[in-house]
């Protein structure tokens, strides 16, 4: 359990280069203890450390009083302007360790920058545990890869992993502060919006094995170019320890990912559909919503696997997980068991829908690559193919091309298309130009819902997907018939 002494030690901890030697860290077990760490005062429970972050639209320092009222044992702050009148002891980074042992809760810990302090403390805490870590990054599929890899490793080890997509400069430190000595392997998803961010996350998480799934125009508006995205993702293999300790597991079917072999001193293993790769697959067969079957090859080994993962793109996920399993010492029976038992998808949920249709809920987020992968899955299913597709945000200069690319693929797969939003309209217009007759351009979710209720037929397979900002789960709630969904109303 994190203590005030640990926090003081963490504030003095210098994050080492990710690929450098792991420095010895001595536990500073002293003073007030904290059961968990949060950045939202509404999540505070007795024993919590509340971290007050300054954001673009709000300042967490305004919620310190609320956190203390809810039972927070302490708060990490970078100013006391909003805390006048609070008679709470203050610990500063310059204070001696004895000061940390003397204070009684609640305590304010005053630092120059709360986010940087949180990262330093998390790096220190991670260094206390000699747990081998696997890191995963990529433009699409990294969360699914994290879950499948964790499921494979769980056949032998106690596995620690990010909850949800806690994968950025804030989420990963909060995740690492939950690490305990029960963990035998850590599986850490890493995302990025900027150059240098994955390098920072590697300095925190210290992976010895890294997986890169692919490179695509996700967050292009922030990173500026596909070359910049490639460079940002390359920071993971570059941060790995040299061989033989470090291993980079790279998607060989992605030309940009292949180039990352030039930027690492780790051992490199490629996976994909080419027999020249270390792990490769053929004889791929889809069973629709029942999963995939394929033959996996590695050196002299060859075996047929049936996995509940959906869509041909999931074969790459399974290959990456198999590679990690071997690197981490698992046997083939353990790996096969992990791959055949996994239930993880690209946040995809299959639900019964209105008028005996089937709803495929993939609303968490969207990019051209992920939407085309979802359309490819839909093409493998029986029934009439219907999709509700919305804006794909943060594509920058690729915005129009990306939406029109999806529209052309939609015309090849679908019998009916509903689009939502101004950018979604580009998908619909392109699909119509490519020959799809049944296209409805909805201005918002409400119009899409009304139209769906009019057109859904028994046996329809309905994909719903768009960027998170469109809240397209509202559409799922209105046309799905699972418990808790919005009851459909007559049009």
């Amino acid at each position: 359990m994190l203590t005030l002494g640990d926090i003081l030690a963490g504030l003095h901890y210098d994050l080492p280069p990710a690929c450098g030697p792991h420095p010895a860290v001595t536990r500073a077990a002293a003073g007030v203890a904290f059961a968990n760490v949060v950045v939202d005062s509404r999540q505070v429970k007795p024993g919590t450390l509340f971290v007050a972050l300054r954001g673009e639209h709000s300042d967490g320092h305004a919620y310190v009083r609320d956190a203390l009222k809810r039972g927070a044992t302490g708060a990490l702050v970078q100013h006391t302007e909003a805390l006048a009148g609070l008679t709470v002891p203050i610990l500063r980074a310059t204070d001696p360790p004895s000061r940390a042992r003397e204070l009684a809760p609640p305590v304010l810990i005053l630092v120059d920058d709360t986010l940087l302090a949180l990262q330093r403390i998390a790096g220190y805490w991670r260094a206390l545990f000699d747990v081998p870590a696997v890191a995963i990054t990529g433009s699409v599929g990294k969360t699914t890869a994290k879950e499948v890899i964790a499921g494979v490793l769980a056949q032998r080890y106690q596995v620690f992993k990010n909850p949800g997509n806690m994968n950025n400069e804030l989420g990963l430190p909060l995740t690492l502060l939950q690490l305990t000595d029960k963990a035998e392997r850590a599986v850490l998803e890493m995302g990025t919006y900027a150059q240098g961010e994955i390098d920072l996350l590697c300095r925190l998480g210290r992976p010895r094995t890294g997986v890169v799934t692919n490179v695509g125009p996700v967050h292009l508006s922030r990173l500026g170019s596909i070359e910049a995205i490639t460079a940002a993702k390359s920071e993971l293999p570059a941060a790995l320890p040299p061989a033989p300790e470090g291993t980079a597991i790279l998607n060989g079917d992605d030309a940009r990912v292949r180039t990352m072999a030039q930027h690492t001193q780790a051992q490199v293993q490629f996976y994909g559909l080419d027999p020249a790769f270390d792990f490769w697959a053929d004889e791929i067969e889809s069973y629709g919503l029942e999963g995939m079957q394929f033959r996996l090859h590695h050196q002299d080994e060859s075996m047929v696997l049936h996995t509940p993962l959906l869509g041909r793109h999931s074969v790459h996920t399974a290959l990456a997980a198999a590679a990690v399993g071997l690197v981490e010492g698992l046997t083939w029976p353990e790996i096969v068991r992990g791959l055949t038992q996994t239930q993880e998808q690209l946040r995809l949920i299959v639900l019964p829908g209105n008028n005996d249709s089937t709803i495929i809920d993939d609303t968490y987020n969207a990019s051209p690559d992920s939407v085309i992968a979802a359309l490819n899955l839909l093409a493998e299913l029986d029934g009439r193919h219907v999709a509700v597709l919305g804006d794909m945000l943060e594509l920058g200069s690729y915005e129009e091309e990306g939406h029109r690319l999806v529209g052309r693929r939609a015309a090849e797969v679908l019998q009916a298309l509903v689009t939502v939003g101004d950018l979604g309209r580009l998908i619909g217009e392109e699909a119509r130009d490519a020959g799809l007759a049944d296209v409805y351009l909805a201005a918002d979710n409400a119009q899409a819902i009304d139209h769906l209720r009019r057109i859904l037929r028994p046996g329809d397979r309905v994909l719903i997907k768009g960027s998170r900002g469109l809240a397209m789960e509202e559409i799922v709630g209105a046309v799905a018939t699972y418990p808790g969904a919005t009851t459909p109303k007559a049009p």
Side-chain angles (χ1 to χ4, degrees), residues 131-202:
V131 180
V134 179
I136 302 106
T137 195
S139 296
V140 176
K142 55 184 175 291
T143 300
T144 299
K146 174 200 68 179
E147 297 293 346
V148 175
I149 289 168
V152 168
L153 295 182
Q155 303 305 310
R156 176 178 294 192
Y157 303 115
Q158 288 291 322
V159 177
F160 174 85
K161 63 182 181 179
N162 322 58
N165 66 331
M166 297 276 286
N167 64 11
N168 61 12
E169 78 282 2
L170 174 59
L172 187 65
L174 290 172
T175 296
L176 291 174
L177 287 171
Q178 302 302 316
L179 186 62
T180 72
D181 57 8
K182 294 181 180 179
E184 297 174 311
R185 290 294 185 277
V187 180
L188 306 174
E189 177 184 346
M190 296 181 177
T192 181
Y193 290 125
Q195 301 291 341
E197 189 169 324
I198 288 180
D199 181 72
L200 168 64
L201 300 183
C202 289

Side-chain angles (χ1 to χ4, degrees), residues 427-458:
I427 298 175
E429 291 172 349
E430 189 70 20
R432 188 178 283 160
D433 290 345
L436 180 61
D438 192 348
V439 176
Y440 179 79
L441 308 177
D444 53 30
N445 290 345
Q447 285 188 10
I449 291 166
D450 288 342
H451 185 71
L452 273 181
R453 288 171 174 166
R454 286 192 292 269
I455 70 168
L456 287 185
R457 309 172 187 169

Side-chain angles (χ1 to χ4, degrees), residues 236-297:
L236 172 53
L240 296 172
E245 181 185 359
T247 304
I249 298 171
L250 306 178
N251 179 357
D253 288 333
D254 187 311
R256 294 185 178 92
V257 176
R258 282 202 307 274
T259 66
M260 297 180 190
Q262 304 167 20
H263 304 291
T264 183
Q265 299 181 57
Q267 175 189 359
V268 175
Q269 297 189 3
F270 290 111
Y271 66 92
L273 305 185
D274 190 325
F277 297 153
D278 302 277
F279 296 82
W280 61 283
D282 62 1
E283 300 179 17
I284 300 170
E285 187 173 356
S286 171
Y287 291 92
L289 297 179
E290 300 301 316
M292 299 292 302
Q293 181 173 291
F294 63 95
R295 181 175 291 276
L296 183 152
H297 303 265

